[in-house]
Amino acid sequence: MKKLFKISFGILTLSVINICSVAGYYALNLPDSYYVEKGKQLELSTVFDISASPENETLASFAGETYPTTTAASLKLFGVIPVKDVELHTVETPVLVPGGDPFGIKLLMDGVMVIDTGEIRSQDGMISPADDCGIKKGDIILTIDGEEVSSNSDIQNAVADSGGDSMKVKLIRDGEEIMTSLTPAFSLSDSCYKAGMWVRDSTAGVGTVTFYEPETGRFGGLGHPVCDSDTGEIVPISSGEAVDVRINGVIPGTSGAPGELRGTFISDNSSGVIYFNNKFGVYGEMLKDISSSGAIPMGLKQEVKTGYAEIYTTIDENGPKKYEISIEKINQKNTDTKNMIIRVTDEELLSKTGGIVQGMSGSPIIQDGKLIGAVTHVFVSDPTMGYAIFCENMYESGIAN
């Protein structure tokens, strides 16, 4: 009898430990808040049953509308064992038109970005005025002697006209405003005053539109920020344009060598205005009417599940087309641009591109009739795989706010 009791007690103890381990795993890996479609309850796609028990109501805002429906709730394993407390924000989910069409991106920086520093040959030898005053690669120069600068020529003219006198420079580094004094030196090689730095005032590229919002004409695309090619920093913009692009061909991706869509700007005329460039993509407003035809609901992160999905993307002059993919892994708690790992399974896309290539960033992902996310990155070691972002994150960051 004692032996049977010990066995039963051991089994019970092991079961409790396993249940606690499962609860602990979900406590660490599930988000602290969720958006829930108005009129519905939170449903999680988890291996073990997790349910939400609401507690009280306050206020929340999403997509410009306010509802008295933010609810504190407790997530419970099997409806009994507490996992963690979360916030449930009840919303009317947006209805969006999936993109998949390429667009040209032209951005003018807010200030000018220092992309490198170097020495100049002066009568005092090889010196770098920029290094000497603490200016670093990646800094954003805003003003010189109180005057705003917005182009390479603004910097060149200010330095050339300085006569070698010290100049007050206001710059931004890691979000912090810094003042420093720059004393240009006379270059014996170029017979003019120089600062010993290279700067950039604009950037351009090609990406893919993720969605349009017919009601406002706004759009979101890319799924990740436009970063400077030399510094890797997010480009701060003063203004931006979206322009029409034609895809002329594709360089297929191979292991160790990401492929690339080859596109050209069709004209210099703007097709849209770009307002924001943040870590979730670029956002703006199209200068053309956006039809609501083909609009579908936006899927919330808890609705995304592993398995079959589709992407809309453009790889030739024929425009957007659907291709099959598989969602391999989901990370709901990740607040960056790598919320999902996806694999291209479509034989046609694999044969033409090798999988995901540069320029496809922003290609919308559709699952169960909902717009759930966008392609963001390719795995360099395996171009058939890559990362994707939740559409919820993109929309909240650039359209709702």
Side-chain angles (χ1 to χ4, degrees), residues 116-161:
D116 208 352
T117 60
E119 295 182 329
I120 61 176
R121 187 166 65 88
S122 73
Q123 62 182 7
D124 297 321
M126 301 300 293
I127 62 173
S128 174
D131 286 337
D132 291 343
C133 74
I135 291 176
K136 297 181 179 180
K137 178 178 178 179
D139 288 347
I140 306 295
I141 297 177
L142 301 178
T143 66
I144 294 181
D145 284 341
E147 297 292 326
E148 292 185 356
V149 292
S150 59
S151 67
N152 297 345
S153 59
D154 287 345
I155 299 286
Q156 291 173 353
N157 292 337
V159 171
D161 295 342

Side-chain angles (χ1 to χ4, degrees), residues 21-31 45-50 75 77 83-84 333:
S21 297
V22 170
Y25 171 82
Y26 284 129
L28 289 174
N29 289 279
L30 291 178
S45 298
T46 51
V47 176
F48 297 96
D49 179 63
I50 301 283
L75 297 185
L77 180 63
V83 173
K84 68 187 303 182
K333 198 167 184 179

